[in-house]
Amino acid sequence: MDHISVAIDGPAGAGKSTIAKKCASKLNYIYVDTGAMYRAITYKALQLKIDINDDSKYYFIDNTPIQLTTDDKVWIDGEDVTKQIRERDVTNSVSIVSSKQSVREKIVPMQRAMAYNSDIIMDGRDIGTNVLKDATVKIYLTASVEERAKRRYNELIIKNPNVSINYDEIKAEIIKRDHLDTTRKLNPLVKAHDAIEVDTSLLTIDEVVDTIIGIILGKVNSNGTNI
Ligand code: DC
């Protein structure tokens, strides 16, 4: 039996990882957060203090094991960096790091290998257009910039109750990341022609999860694939 693969792409803050994780758990598929892999590389690049704009400085990736474990932890060089990769310094540099050819040419094959043996839901920017072009189901998850900035702002306030956080700054950072992710040369964020768009601006998490599970099961059943 072929494995089922679900690609969920979309801009920062559209809710991809929350939704993908819940759908994967309900369907008993493996969840792969590809953004976390670029974040882990960014974390290490910042630790090493390399010039992140210089494509020739990423040779360290060859000797850098990255692991995503089923308890949603992210490891690099055997270090649990789950928390660190969500910090603002990583978040604000990851669009640059992930635009580098030397990074993508090493990370994308790792992602394809992860989809080889299991039913999976993979989220990112280029899953439906590049990593898993033949995915069983492709979803393009989006939301307005204002809604995405509001979600990030609330997330940061909860995580850092004592730090002053400015909504306009968060919104500007999201706009900047959207711009970098959609205009970069290599595998930019773009809706695949065969992706189904789901706008989450006015939906609850449960509503989005139900919508996407409906789409997945509809497609899987119409293909006659057993799940
Ligand atoms: O989904 P996220 O915010 O954790 O992603 C972090 C960055 O990684 C994002 O700015 C774009 C990049 N990314 C990518 O280029 N390709 C992917 N498949 C996933 C993420």
Side-chain angles (χ1 to χ4, degrees):
M1 185 191 86
D2 280 343
H3 291 292
I4 294 156
S5 51
V6 179
I8 303 188
D9 291 302
K16 294 184 301 294
S17 56
T18 307
I19 302 297
K21 213 179 285 176
K22 283 185 183 276
C23 291
S25 139
K26 287 198 175 196
L27 294 167
N28 213 15
Y29 296 178
I30 303 275
Y31 165 58
V32 178
D33 175 356
T34 60
M37 300 171 77
Y38 292 105
R39 284 173 179 272
I41 294 300
T42 304
Y43 169 79
K44 178 150 178 186
L46 295 177
Q47 293 280 307
L48 292 174
K49 296 191 178 8
I50 62 159
D51 173 2
I52 60 169
N53 288 296
D54 184 344
D55 223 320
S56 73
K57 295 283 191 275
Y58 289 93
Y59 48 84
F60 69 85
I61 299 176
D62 287 331
N63 301 312
T64 299
I66 305 173
Q67 286 169 290
L68 306 181
T69 43
T70 48
D71 52 0
D72 293 330
K73 289 199 184 305
V74 182
W75 304 75
I76 192 159
D77 291 324
E79 179 191 353
D80 177 357
V81 292
T82 313
K83 259 177 91 177
Q84 293 89 320
I85 64 165
R86 305 288 160 197
E87 302 288 342
R88 247 169 129 182
D89 56 341
V90 171
T91 299
N92 288 335
S93 298
V94 65
S95 285
I96 294 174
V97 173
S98 62
S99 70
K100 299 295 165 208
Q101 179 167 5
S102 55
V103 173
R104 301 197 81 82
E105 71 191 13
K106 288 175 181 143
I107 298 294
V108 167
M110 291 183 204
Q111 295 166 347
R112 291 198 179 119
M114 288 172 173
Y116 199 69
N117 284 319
S118 327
D119 294 336
I120 55 144
I121 298 189
M122 193 175 271
D123 81 18
R125 302 293 189 286
D126 64 333
I127 310 306
T129 54
N130 174 44
V131 180
L132 305 175
K133 280 196 190 110
D134 297 326
T136 322
V137 177
K138 298 181 186 177
I139 306 283
Y140 189 81
L141 205 65
T142 187
S144 68
V145 169
E146 289 72 23
E147 180 60 28
R148 290 186 285 126
K150 205 168 86 190
R151 290 176 191 168
R152 276 276 189 261
Y153 175 81
N154 290 336
E155 217 176 270
L156 286 170
I157 292 273
I158 291 170
K159 271 193 213 154
N160 313 285
N162 302 320
V163 179
S164 116
I165 291 161
N166 180 303
Y167 168 83
D168 290 328
E169 267 176 34
I170 303 286
K171 186 173 159 192
E173 285 170 9
I174 291 216
I175 292 172
K176 189 167 165 208
R177 282 180 68 200
D178 283 356
H179 179 72
L180 287 168
D181 291 347
T182 55
T183 58
R184 71 175 181 224
K185 274 217 300 268
L186 282 171
N187 316 129
L189 169 65
V190 55
K191 181 179 164 226
H193 70 90
D194 48 353
I196 297 171
E197 181 163 335
V198 177
D199 187 325
T200 69
S201 306
L202 301 173
L203 299 177
T204 64
I205 291 174
D206 285 344
E207 285 169 337
V208 180
V209 169
D210 288 347
T211 303
I212 291 181
I213 289 196
I215 294 170
I216 297 172
L217 294 183
K219 183 71 189 278
V220 166
N221 292 334
S222 75
N223 282 356
T225 314
N226 295 322
I227 57 163

